[in-house]
Coordinates of all heavy atoms in Angstrom, one line a residue:
M40 N 8.0 87.2 -17.8 CA 8.7 87.0 -16.5 C 9.6 85.8 -16.6 O 9.1 84.7 -16.9 CB 7.7 86.9 -15.4 CG 8.4 86.8 -14.0 SD 7.1 86.8 -12.7 CE 7.5 85.4 -11.8
S41 N 10.9 85.9 -16.2 CA 11.8 84.7 -16.3 C 11.5 83.8 -15.1 O 11.0 84.2 -14.1 CB 13.2 85.2 -16.3 OG 13.6 85.8 -15.1
Q42 N 12.0 82.6 -15.3 CA 11.8 81.5 -14.3 C 13.0 80.7 -14.2 O 13.6 80.3 -15.2 CB 10.6 80.7 -14.6 CG 10.1 79.9 -13.4 CD 8.6 79.5 -13.6 OE1 8.2 79.2 -14.7 NE2 7.9 79.5 -12.5
K43 N 13.5 80.4 -13.0 CA 14.7 79.6 -12.8 C 14.3 78.2 -12.5 O 13.4 77.9 -11.7 CB 15.4 80.2 -11.6 CG 16.8 79.7 -11.4 CD 17.6 80.5 -10.3 CE 19.0 80.1 -10.2 NZ 19.7 80.9 -9.2
L44 N 15.0 77.3 -13.1 CA 14.8 75.8 -13.0 C 15.9 75.2 -12.2 O 17.1 75.5 -12.5 CB 14.6 75.2 -14.3 CG 13.4 75.6 -15.2 CD1 13.4 74.9 -16.5 CD2 12.1 75.4 -14.4
F45 N 15.6 74.3 -11.4 CA 16.6 73.4 -10.7 C 16.8 72.2 -11.6 O 15.8 71.6 -12.0 CB 16.2 73.0 -9.3 CG 17.0 71.9 -8.7 CD1 18.2 72.2 -8.1 CD2 16.6 70.6 -8.8 CE1 19.0 71.2 -7.6 CE2 17.4 69.6 -8.2 CZ 18.6 69.9 -7.6
I46 N 18.0 71.7 -11.9 CA 18.3 70.5 -12.6 C 19.2 69.6 -11.8 O 20.3 69.9 -11.5 CB 19.0 70.9 -14.0 CG1 18.3 72.0 -14.7 CG2 19.2 69.6 -14.8 CD1 19.1 72.7 -15.7
G47 N 18.6 68.5 -11.3 CA 19.3 67.6 -10.4 C 19.5 66.3 -11.2 O 19.0 66.0 -12.2
G48 N 20.4 65.5 -10.6 CA 20.7 64.2 -11.1 C 21.7 64.2 -12.3 O 21.8 63.3 -13.1
L49 N 22.4 65.3 -12.5 CA 23.4 65.5 -13.6 C 24.5 64.5 -13.4 O 25.0 64.3 -12.3 CB 23.9 66.9 -13.6 CG 23.0 68.0 -14.1 CD1 23.7 69.3 -13.9 CD2 22.6 67.8 -15.6
P50 N 25.0 63.9 -14.5 CA 26.3 63.2 -14.4 C 27.4 64.1 -14.0 O 27.4 65.3 -14.4 CB 26.5 62.7 -15.8 CG 25.1 62.7 -16.4 CD 24.4 63.8 -15.8
F51 N 28.3 63.6 -13.1 CA 29.3 64.5 -12.6 C 30.3 65.0 -13.7 O 31.1 65.9 -13.5 CB 30.1 63.8 -11.5 CG 29.2 63.6 -10.3 CD1 28.6 62.4 -10.0 CD2 28.9 64.7 -9.5 CE1 27.8 62.2 -8.9 CE2 28.1 64.5 -8.4 CZ 27.5 63.3 -8.1
T52 N 30.2 64.4 -14.9 CA 31.1 64.8 -16.0 C 30.4 65.9 -16.9 O 31.1 66.4 -17.8 CB 31.4 63.6 -16.9 OG1 30.1 63.0 -17.3 CG2 32.2 62.5 -16.1
T53 N 29.2 66.2 -16.6 CA 28.5 67.2 -17.5 C 29.0 68.6 -17.2 O 29.1 69.1 -16.1 CB 27.0 67.2 -17.2 OG1 26.5 65.9 -17.4 CG2 26.2 68.1 -18.1
S54 N 29.4 69.3 -18.3 CA 29.9 70.7 -18.2 C 28.7 71.6 -18.4 O 27.6 71.3 -18.9 CB 30.9 70.9 -19.2 OG 30.4 70.9 -20.5
T55 N 28.9 72.9 -18.1 CA 27.9 73.9 -18.3 C 27.6 74.0 -19.8 O 26.5 74.1 -20.2 CB 28.4 75.3 -17.8 OG1 28.5 75.2 -16.4 CG2 27.5 76.4 -18.2
D56 N 28.7 73.9 -20.7 CA 28.4 74.0 -22.1 C 27.6 72.8 -22.6 O 26.7 73.0 -23.5 CB 29.8 74.0 -22.9 CG 30.5 75.3 -22.7 OD1 29.8 76.3 -22.5 OD2 31.7 75.3 -22.9
E57 N 27.8 71.6 -22.1 CA 27.0 70.4 -22.5 C 25.6 70.6 -22.1 O 24.6 70.3 -22.8 CB 27.6 69.2 -21.9 CG 28.9 68.8 -22.5 CD 29.7 67.7 -21.8 OE1 29.5 67.6 -20.5 OE2 30.4 67.0 -22.4
L58 N 25.4 71.1 -20.9 CA 24.0 71.3 -20.3 C 23.3 72.4 -21.2 O 22.1 72.3 -21.5 CB 24.0 71.7 -18.9 CG 22.7 71.7 -18.2 CD1 21.9 70.4 -18.3 CD2 22.8 72.1 -16.7
R59 N 24.1 73.5 -21.5 CA 23.5 74.5 -22.3 C 23.0 74.0 -23.7 O 22.0 74.3 -24.2 CB 24.5 75.7 -22.5 CG 24.0 76.9 -23.3 CD 24.9 78.0 -23.4 NE 25.3 78.5 -22.1 CZ 26.5 78.4 -21.5 NH1 27.5 77.9 -22.2 NH2 26.7 79.0 -20.3
Q60 N 23.9 73.1 -24.3 CA 23.5 72.5 -25.6 C 22.2 71.8 -25.5 O 21.3 71.8 -26.3 CB 24.6 71.6 -26.1 CG 25.7 72.3 -26.7 CD 26.8 71.3 -27.3 OE1 27.0 70.3 -26.7 NE2 27.3 71.7 -28.4
L61 N 22.0 71.0 -24.4 CA 20.8 70.2 -24.2 C 19.6 71.2 -24.1 O 18.6 71.0 -24.7 CB 21.0 69.3 -23.0 CG 19.8 68.5 -22.6 CD1 19.6 67.4 -23.7 CD2 20.0 67.8 -21.3
F62 N 19.7 72.2 -23.2 CA 18.6 73.1 -22.9 C 18.3 74.0 -24.1 O 17.2 74.5 -24.2 CB 18.8 73.8 -21.6 CG 18.2 73.0 -20.5 CD1 18.9 71.9 -20.0 CD2 17.0 73.4 -19.9 CE1 18.3 71.2 -18.9 CE2 16.5 72.6 -18.9 CZ 17.1 71.5 -18.4
N63 N 19.3 74.2 -25.0 CA 19.0 75.1 -26.1 C 18.0 74.4 -27.1 O 17.6 75.1 -28.1 CB 20.3 75.4 -26.9 CG 21.0 76.6 -26.2 OD1 20.4 77.4 -25.5 ND2 22.3 76.7 -26.4
Q64 N 17.6 73.2 -26.9 CA 16.5 72.6 -27.7 C 15.2 73.3 -27.4 O 14.3 73.2 -28.2 CB 16.4 71.1 -27.3 CG 17.6 70.3 -27.7 CD 17.4 68.8 -27.3 OE1 16.3 68.3 -27.4 NE2 18.5 68.2 -26.9
I65 N 15.2 74.0 -26.3 CA 14.0 74.8 -25.9 C 14.2 76.2 -26.2 O 15.3 76.8 -25.8 CB 13.7 74.6 -24.4 CG1 13.6 73.2 -24.0 CG2 12.4 75.4 -24.0 CD1 12.4 72.4 -24.5
E66 N 13.3 76.9 -26.9 CA 13.5 78.3 -27.1 C 13.2 79.1 -25.9 O 12.2 78.8 -25.1 CB 12.5 78.7 -28.2 CG 12.8 80.1 -28.8 CD 11.9 80.4 -30.0 OE1 11.7 79.5 -30.8 OE2 11.5 81.6 -30.1
G67 N 14.0 80.1 -25.6 CA 13.8 80.9 -24.4 C 14.8 80.6 -23.3 O 14.5 81.0 -22.1
V68 N 15.9 80.0 -23.5 CA 16.9 79.8 -22.5 C 17.7 81.1 -22.3 O 18.4 81.5 -23.3 CB 17.8 78.6 -22.8 CG1 18.8 78.4 -21.7 CG2 17.0 77.3 -23.0
D69 N 17.8 81.6 -21.1 CA 18.6 82.8 -20.9 C 20.0 82.5 -20.4 O 21.0 83.0 -20.8 CB 17.9 83.7 -19.9 CG 16.7 84.5 -20.4 OD1 16.6 84.6 -21.7 OD2 15.9 84.9 -19.6
N70 N 20.1 81.5 -19.5 CA 21.3 81.1 -18.9 C 21.3 79.7 -18.3 O 20.2 79.3 -17.9 CB 21.7 82.1 -17.7 CG 23.1 81.9 -17.2 OD1 24.0 81.6 -17.9 ND2 23.2 82.2 -15.9
V71 N 22.4 79.0 -18.4 CA 22.5 77.6 -17.9 C 23.8 77.6 -17.1 O 24.8 78.0 -17.6 CB 22.5 76.6 -19.0 CG1 22.6 75.2 -18.4 CG2 21.2 76.7 -19.8
T72 N 23.8 76.9 -15.9 CA 25.0 76.8 -15.1 C 25.0 75.5 -14.4 O 24.0 75.1 -13.8 CB 25.0 77.9 -14.0 OG1 24.9 79.2 -14.6 CG2 26.3 77.8 -13.2
V73 N 26.1 74.8 -14.4 CA 26.4 73.6 -13.6 C 27.1 74.1 -12.4 O 28.1 74.8 -12.5 CB 27.2 72.5 -14.4 CG1 27.6 71.4 -13.5 CG2 26.4 72.0 -15.6
V74 N 26.6 73.7 -11.2 CA 27.2 74.1 -10.0 C 28.4 73.2 -9.7 O 28.4 72.0 -9.8 CB 26.2 74.0 -8.8 CG1 26.9 74.4 -7.5 CG2 25.0 74.9 -9.1
T75 N 29.6 73.8 -9.4 CA 30.8 73.1 -9.1 C 31.3 73.3 -7.7 O 31.0 74.3 -7.1 CB 31.9 73.5 -10.1 OG1 32.1 74.9 -10.0 CG2 31.5 73.2 -11.6
D76 N 32.1 72.3 -7.2 CA 32.7 72.4 -5.9 C 33.8 73.5 -6.0 O 34.6 73.5 -6.9 CB 33.3 71.1 -5.6 CG 33.9 71.1 -4.2 OD1 35.1 71.5 -4.1 OD2 33.2 70.8 -3.2
R77 N 33.8 74.4 -5.0 CA 34.8 75.5 -5.1 C 36.2 75.1 -4.9 O 37.1 75.7 -5.3 CB 34.4 76.6 -4.1 CG 34.6 76.2 -2.7 CD 34.3 77.3 -1.8 NE 34.3 76.8 -0.4 CZ 33.7 77.4 0.6 NH1 33.0 78.5 0.4 NH2 33.7 76.8 1.8
D78 N 36.4 73.9 -4.2 CA 37.8 73.5 -3.9 C 38.3 72.6 -5.1 O 39.5 72.8 -5.5 CB 37.8 72.7 -2.6 CG 37.5 73.5 -1.4 OD1 37.8 74.7 -1.4 OD2 36.9 73.0 -0.4
T79 N 37.5 71.7 -5.6 CA 38.0 70.8 -6.6 C 37.6 71.2 -8.1 O 38.2 70.8 -9.0 CB 37.4 69.4 -6.4 OG1 36.0 69.4 -6.6 CG2 37.7 68.9 -5.0
G80 N 36.6 72.1 -8.2 CA 36.1 72.5 -9.5 C 35.3 71.5 -10.2 O 34.8 71.7 -11.3
R81 N 35.0 70.3 -9.5 CA 34.2 69.3 -10.1 C 32.7 69.6 -9.9 O 32.3 70.2 -9.0 CB 34.5 67.9 -9.5 CG 35.9 67.5 -9.8 CD 36.2 66.1 -9.2 NE 35.2 65.2 -9.8 CZ 35.1 63.9 -9.4 NH1 35.9 63.4 -8.5 NH2 34.2 63.2 -10.0
S82 N 31.9 69.1 -10.8 CA 30.5 69.2 -10.8 C 29.9 68.6 -9.5 O 30.4 67.6 -9.0 CB 29.8 68.5 -12.0 OG 28.4 68.4 -11.8
R83 N 28.9 69.3 -8.9 CA 28.2 68.8 -7.7 C 27.0 68.0 -8.1 O 26.3 67.5 -7.2 CB 27.9 69.9 -6.8 CG 29.2 70.6 -6.2 CD 28.9 71.6 -5.2 NE 28.2 71.0 -4.1 CZ 27.5 71.8 -3.2 NH1 27.5 73.1 -3.3 NH2 26.8 71.2 -2.2
G84 N 26.7 67.8 -9.4 CA 25.6 66.9 -9.8 C 24.3 67.7 -10.0 O 23.3 67.0 -10.2
F85 N 24.4 69.0 -9.9 CA 23.1 69.7 -10.2 C 23.5 71.1 -10.8 O 24.6 71.5 -10.9 CB 22.3 69.9 -8.9 CG 22.9 70.8 -7.9 CD1 22.6 72.2 -7.8 CD2 23.8 70.3 -6.9 CE1 23.2 73.0 -6.8 CE2 24.4 71.1 -6.0 CZ 24.1 72.5 -5.9
G86 N 22.4 71.8 -11.3 CA 22.6 73.1 -11.9 C 21.3 73.8 -12.0 O 20.3 73.4 -11.4
F87 N 21.4 74.9 -12.8 CA 20.2 75.8 -12.9 C 20.1 76.3 -14.3 O 21.1 76.4 -15.0 CB 20.3 77.0 -12.0 CG 20.3 76.6 -10.5 CD1 21.5 76.4 -9.8 CD2 19.1 76.4 -9.8 CE1 21.5 76.0 -8.5 CE2 19.1 76.0 -8.5 CZ 20.3 75.8 -7.8
A88 N 18.9 76.5 -14.8 CA 18.6 77.1 -16.1 C 17.6 78.2 -15.8 O 16.6 78.1 -15.1 CB 18.0 76.1 -17.0
E89 N 17.9 79.4 -16.4 CA 17.0 80.5 -16.3 C 16.3 80.6 -17.7 O 16.9 80.7 -18.7 CB 17.8 81.8 -16.1 CG 18.4 81.8 -14.7 CD 19.1 83.1 -14.4 OE1 18.7 84.2 -14.9 OE2 20.2 83.0 -13.7
M90 N 15.0 80.5 -17.6 CA 14.1 80.5 -18.8 C 13.5 81.9 -18.9 O 13.1 82.5 -17.9 CB 13.1 79.4 -18.7 CG 13.7 78.0 -18.4 SD 14.9 77.5 -19.6 CE 13.9 77.1 -21.0
A91 N 13.3 82.3 -20.2 CA 12.8 83.7 -20.4 C 11.3 83.8 -20.0 O 10.9 84.9 -19.5 CB 12.9 84.0 -21.9
T92 N 10.5 82.7 -20.1 CA 9.1 82.8 -19.8 C 8.7 81.6 -19.0 O 9.4 80.5 -19.0 CB 8.3 82.9 -21.1 OG1 8.4 81.6 -21.8 CG2 8.6 84.0 -21.9
A93 N 7.6 81.7 -18.4 CA 7.0 80.5 -17.7 C 6.7 79.4 -18.6 O 6.8 78.2 -18.3 CB 5.7 80.9 -16.9
E94 N 6.2 79.8 -19.8 CA 5.9 78.8 -20.9 C 7.2 78.0 -21.3 O 7.1 76.8 -21.4 CB 5.3 79.4 -22.1 CG 3.9 80.0 -21.8 CD 3.9 81.4 -21.2 OE1 5.0 82.0 -21.1 OE2 2.9 81.7 -20.6
A95 N 8.3 78.7 -21.4 CA 9.5 78.0 -21.8 C 10.0 77.1 -20.6 O 10.5 76.0 -20.9 CB 10.6 79.0 -22.1
A96 N 9.8 77.5 -19.4 CA 10.2 76.8 -18.2 C 9.3 75.5 -18.2 O 9.8 74.4 -18.0 CB 10.0 77.6 -17.0
N97 N 8.0 75.6 -18.4 CA 7.1 74.5 -18.4 C 7.5 73.5 -19.5 O 7.4 72.3 -19.3 CB 5.7 74.9 -18.5 CG 5.2 75.6 -17.2 OD1 5.7 75.3 -16.1 ND2 4.2 76.4 -17.4
E98 N 7.8 74.0 -20.7 CA 8.2 73.1 -21.8 C 9.5 72.3 -21.4 O 9.6 71.1 -21.7 CB 8.4 73.9 -23.0 CG 8.8 73.0 -24.2 CD 8.9 73.8 -25.5 OE1 8.6 75.0 -25.6 OE2 9.5 73.2 -26.5
A99 N 10.5 73.0 -20.8 CA 11.7 72.4 -20.4 C 11.5 71.3 -19.3 O 12.1 70.2 -19.4 CB 12.7 73.4 -19.9
I100 N 10.6 71.6 -18.4 CA 10.2 70.6 -17.4 C 9.6 69.4 -18.0 O 10.0 68.2 -17.7 CB 9.3 71.2 -16.3 CG1 10.0 72.2 -15.5 CG2 8.7 70.1 -15.4 CD1 9.2 73.1 -14.6
R101 N 8.6 69.6 -18.9 CA 8.0 68.5 -19.6 C 9.0 67.6 -20.4 O 9.0 66.4 -20.4 CB 6.9 69.0 -20.6 CG 5.6 69.3 -19.9 CD 4.5 69.5 -20.9 NE 4.8 70.5 -21.9 CZ 4.5 71.8 -21.7 NH1 4.0 72.2 -20.5 NH2 4.8 72.7 -22.6
K102 N 9.9 68.3 -21.1 CA 10.9 67.6 -22.0 C 12.0 66.9 -21.2 O 12.4 65.8 -21.5 CB 11.5 68.6 -23.0 CG 12.4 67.9 -24.0 CD 12.7 68.8 -25.1 CE 13.6 68.1 -26.1 NZ 13.1 67.9 -27.4
F103 N 12.5 67.6 -20.1 CA 13.7 67.1 -19.5 C 13.6 66.4 -18.1 O 14.5 65.8 -17.6 CB 14.8 68.2 -19.4 CG 15.2 68.6 -20.8 CD1 15.1 70.0 -21.2 CD2 15.7 67.8 -21.7 CE1 15.5 70.4 -22.4 CE2 16.1 68.2 -23.0 CZ 16.0 69.5 -23.3
N104 N 12.5 66.6 -17.5 CA 12.2 65.9 -16.2 C 12.1 64.4 -16.5 O 11.2 64.0 -17.2 CB 11.0 66.4 -15.5 CG 11.0 65.9 -14.0 OD1 12.0 65.9 -13.3 ND2 9.7 65.5 -13.6
G105 N 13.0 63.6 -15.9 CA 12.9 62.2 -16.2 C 13.8 61.8 -17.4 O 13.9 60.6 -17.8
Y106 N 14.5 62.7 -18.0 CA 15.3 62.5 -19.2 C 16.6 61.8 -18.8 O 17.2 62.1 -17.8 CB 15.7 63.9 -19.8 CG 16.5 63.9 -21.0 CD1 15.8 63.8 -22.3 CD2 17.9 64.0 -21.0 CE1 16.6 63.9 -23.5 CE2 18.6 64.0 -22.2 CZ 18.0 63.9 -23.4 OH 18.7 64.0 -24.6
A107 N 17.0 60.8 -19.5 CA 18.2 60.0 -19.3 C 19.4 60.7 -19.9 O 19.4 60.9 -21.1 CB 18.0 58.6 -19.8
L108 N 20.4 61.0 -19.1 CA 21.6 61.6 -19.6 C 22.8 60.9 -19.1 O 23.0 60.8 -17.9 CB 21.6 63.1 -19.2 CG 22.8 63.9 -19.7 CD1 22.9 64.0 -21.2 CD2 22.8 65.3 -19.1
D109 N 23.5 60.2 -20.0 CA 24.7 59.4 -19.6 C 24.4 58.5 -18.4 O 25.2 58.4 -17.4 CB 25.9 60.4 -19.2 CG 26.3 61.1 -20.5 OD1 26.1 60.7 -21.6 OD2 26.9 62.2 -20.3
G110 N 23.3 57.8 -18.4 CA 23.0 56.8 -17.4 C 22.4 57.3 -16.2 O 22.1 56.6 -15.2
R111 N 22.1 58.6 -16.1 CA 21.4 59.2 -14.9 C 20.1 59.8 -15.4 O 20.0 60.3 -16.5 CB 22.3 60.3 -14.3 CG 23.7 59.6 -13.9 CD 24.3 60.2 -12.7 NE 23.5 60.5 -11.6 CZ 23.9 61.2 -10.6 NH1 25.1 61.8 -10.6 NH2 23.1 61.5 -9.5
T112 N 19.2 59.9 -14.5 CA 17.9 60.5 -14.7 C 17.8 61.9 -14.2 O 18.0 62.1 -13.0 CB 16.8 59.6 -14.1 OG1 16.9 58.3 -14.7 CG2 15.4 60.2 -14.5
L113 N 17.5 62.9 -15.0 CA 17.4 64.2 -14.6 C 16.1 64.5 -13.9 O 15.1 64.0 -14.2 CB 17.5 65.2 -15.8 CG 18.8 65.1 -16.7 CD1 18.7 66.2 -17.7 CD2 20.0 65.3 -15.8
K114 N 16.2 65.4 -12.9 CA 15.1 65.9 -12.2 C 15.1 67.4 -12.5 O 16.0 68.1 -12.1 CB 15.2 65.7 -10.7 CG 14.0 66.3 -9.9 CD 14.2 66.0 -8.4 CE 12.9 66.6 -7.7 NZ 13.0 66.3 -6.3
V115 N 14.0 67.9 -13.2 CA 13.9 69.3 -13.5 C 12.6 69.9 -12.9 O 11.6 69.3 -13.1 CB 13.9 69.5 -15.1 CG1 13.8 71.0 -15.4 CG2 15.2 68.9 -15.7
E116 N 12.8 70.9 -12.2 CA 11.6 71.5 -11.5 C 11.9 73.0 -11.3 O 13.0 73.5 -11.4 CB 11.3 70.9 -10.2 CG 12.4 70.9 -9.2 CD 12.2 70.1 -7.9 OE1 11.3 69.2 -7.9 OE2 12.9 70.4 -6.9
V117 N 10.8 73.8 -11.0 CA 11.0 75.2 -10.7 C 11.8 75.3 -9.4 O 11.6 74.6 -8.4 CB 9.6 75.8 -10.5 CG1 9.8 77.3 -10.0 CG2 8.8 75.8 -11.8
S118 N 12.8 76.2 -9.5 CA 13.7 76.3 -8.4 C 13.0 77.0 -7.2 O 12.3 78.0 -7.4 CB 14.9 77.2 -8.8 OG 15.8 77.4 -7.7
K119 N 13.2 76.5 -6.0 CA 12.7 77.1 -4.8 C 13.7 78.1 -4.3 O 14.9 77.9 -4.4 CB 12.4 76.0 -3.8 CG 11.3 75.0 -4.3 CD 11.3 73.8 -3.3 CE 10.2 72.8 -3.8 NZ 10.6 72.1 -5.0
P120 N 13.3 79.2 -3.6 CA 14.2 80.1 -3.1 C 15.1 79.4 -2.0 O 14.6 78.5 -1.3 CB 13.4 81.2 -2.4 CG 12.0 81.0 -3.0 CD 11.9 79.6 -3.4
S121 N 16.4 79.7 -2.0 CA 17.2 79.1 -1.0 C 17.0 79.5 0.4 O 16.6 80.7 0.6 CB 18.7 79.3 -1.4 OG 19.0 80.7 -1.4
A122 N 17.1 78.6 1.3 CA 16.9 78.9 2.8 C 18.0 79.8 3.3 O 19.2 79.7 2.8 CB 16.8 77.6 3.6
P123 N 17.7 80.7 4.2 CA 18.8 81.5 4.7 C 19.8 80.7 5.5 O 19.5 79.7 6.1 CB 18.1 82.4 5.7 CG 16.6 82.1 5.7 CD 16.4 81.0 4.7
R124 N 21.0 81.0 5.3 CA 22.1 80.3 6.0 C 22.2 80.7 7.4 O 21.8 81.8 7.8 CB 23.4 80.6 5.3 CG 23.5 80.0 3.9 CD 24.8 80.3 3.3 NE 24.8 79.6 2.0 CZ 25.9 79.1 1.4 NH1 27.0 79.2 2.0 NH2 25.8 78.6 0.2
G125 N 22.9 79.8 8.2 CA 23.1 80.1 9.6 C 24.1 81.3 9.7 O 24.7 81.6 8.8
N126 N 24.1 81.8 10.9 CA 24.9 83.0 11.1 C 26.4 82.7 11.1 O 27.2 83.5 10.7 CB 24.6 83.7 12.4 CG 23.2 84.3 12.3 OD1 22.8 84.8 11.2 ND2 22.4 84.4 13.4
G127 N 26.8 81.5 11.6 CA 28.2 81.1 11.6 C 29.1 82.1 12.4 O 28.6 83.1 12.9
G128 N 30.3 81.8 12.5 CA 31.3 82.7 13.1 C 31.1 82.9 14.6 O 31.6 83.9 15.2
G129 N 30.3 82.0 15.2 CA 30.1 82.1 16.7 C 29.0 83.1 17.1 O 28.7 83.2 18.2
Y130 N 28.4 83.8 16.1 CA 27.4 84.7 16.5 C 26.1 83.9 16.8 O 25.7 83.0 16.1 CB 27.1 85.6 15.3 CG 26.0 86.7 15.6 CD1 26.3 87.7 16.5 CD2 24.8 86.6 15.0 CE1 25.3 88.6 16.8 CE2 23.8 87.6 15.2 CZ 24.1 88.6 16.1 OH 23.1 89.5 16.4
R131 N 25.5 84.2 18.0 CA 24.3 83.5 18.4 C 23.0 84.1 17.9 O 22.0 83.4 18.0 CB 24.3 83.4 19.9 CG 25.3 82.6 20.5 CD 25.1 82.3 22.0 NE 24.5 83.4 22.7 CZ 24.7 83.6 24.0 NH1 25.6 82.9 24.7 NH2 24.1 84.5 24.6
G132 N 23.0 85.3 17.4 CA 21.8 85.9 17.0 C 21.0 86.7 18.1 O 20.0 87.3 17.8
D133 N 21.5 86.6 19.3 CA 20.8 87.3 20.4 C 21.7 88.4 20.9 O 21.5 88.9 22.1 CB 20.4 86.3 21.5 CG 21.6 85.6 22.1 OD1 22.8 85.8 21.7 OD2 21.4 84.8 23.1
G134 N 22.7 88.8 20.2 CA 23.6 89.9 20.6 C 24.9 89.4 21.3 O 25.8 90.1 21.6
G135 N 24.9 88.0 21.6 CA 26.1 87.5 22.3 C 26.9 86.6 21.4 O 26.5 86.4 20.2
Y136 N 28.0 86.2 21.9 CA 28.9 85.3 21.1 C 29.2 84.1 21.9 O 29.2 84.1 23.1 CB 30.2 86.0 20.8 CG 30.1 87.1 19.7 CD1 29.8 88.4 20.1 CD2 30.3 86.8 18.4 CE1 29.6 89.3 19.1 CE2 30.1 87.7 17.4 CZ 29.8 89.0 17.8 OH 29.6 90.0 16.8
H137 N 29.4 83.0 21.2 CA 29.7 81.7 21.8 C 31.2 81.8 22.3 O 32.0 82.4 21.7 CB 29.6 80.5 20.8 CG 28.3 80.2 20.4 ND1 27.5 79.3 21.1 CD2 27.5 80.7 19.5 CE1 26.3 79.2 20.5 NE2 26.3 80.1 19.5
S138 N 31.4 81.2 23.4 CA 32.8 81.1 23.9 C 33.3 79.7 23.8 O 32.5 78.8 24.0 CB 32.8 81.6 25.4 OG 34.0 81.3 26.0
R139 N 34.5 79.5 23.4 CA 35.0 78.2 23.3 C 35.5 77.7 24.7 O 35.9 76.5 24.8 CB 36.2 78.2 22.3 CG 35.7 78.5 20.9 CD 36.8 78.1 19.9 NE 36.4 78.5 18.6 CZ 35.9 77.7 17.7 NH1 35.7 76.4 18.0 NH2 35.5 78.1 16.5
G140 N 35.4 78.5 25.7 CA 35.9 78.1 27.0 C 34.8 77.3 27.8 O 33.8 76.8 27.2
S141 N 34.9 77.2 29.0 CA 34.0 76.5 29.9 C 32.6 77.1 29.9 O 32.5 78.3 29.7 CB 34.5 76.5 31.3 OG 33.6 76.0 32.2
R142 N 31.6 76.3 30.0 CA 30.2 76.8 30.1 C 30.0 77.6 31.4 O 29.0 78.3 31.5 CB 29.2 75.7 30.0 CG 29.1 75.1 28.6 CD 28.2 74.0 28.6 NE 27.0 74.2 29.3 CZ 25.9 73.4 29.4 NH1 26.0 72.3 28.7 NH2 24.9 73.7 30.1
W143 N 30.8 77.3 32.4 CA 30.5 77.9 33.7 C 31.4 79.0 34.0 O 32.1 79.5 34.5 CB 30.6 76.8 34.8 CG 29.8 75.5 34.3 CD1 30.4 74.3 34.0 CD2 28.4 75.4 34.2 NE1 29.4 73.5 33.6 CE2 28.2 74.1 33.7 CE3 27.3 76.2 34.4 CZ2 26.9 73.6 33.5 CZ3 26.1 75.7 34.1 CH2 25.9 74.5 33.7

């Protein structure tokens, strides 16, 4: 069963290819991604690695959690499911819509 890891504390200059090279030291890496800002294309300082097995994930955590990379300390842990986003768009969730006009 594959396991997704969160990788925080990345230097903002780290590319997906550089992070992939680092994580390829561990056997069982399926995919590595550095998350980038959609407007600027710059790294947001974190990424994810998908490991083929729980054993490979645990080995990556042991090896890279606390690892110094270009003056920054990495935080590597099992990724938690993302929280649901708000409804946005003015939808209140109760069947009504917000009005930008007066409350009264």
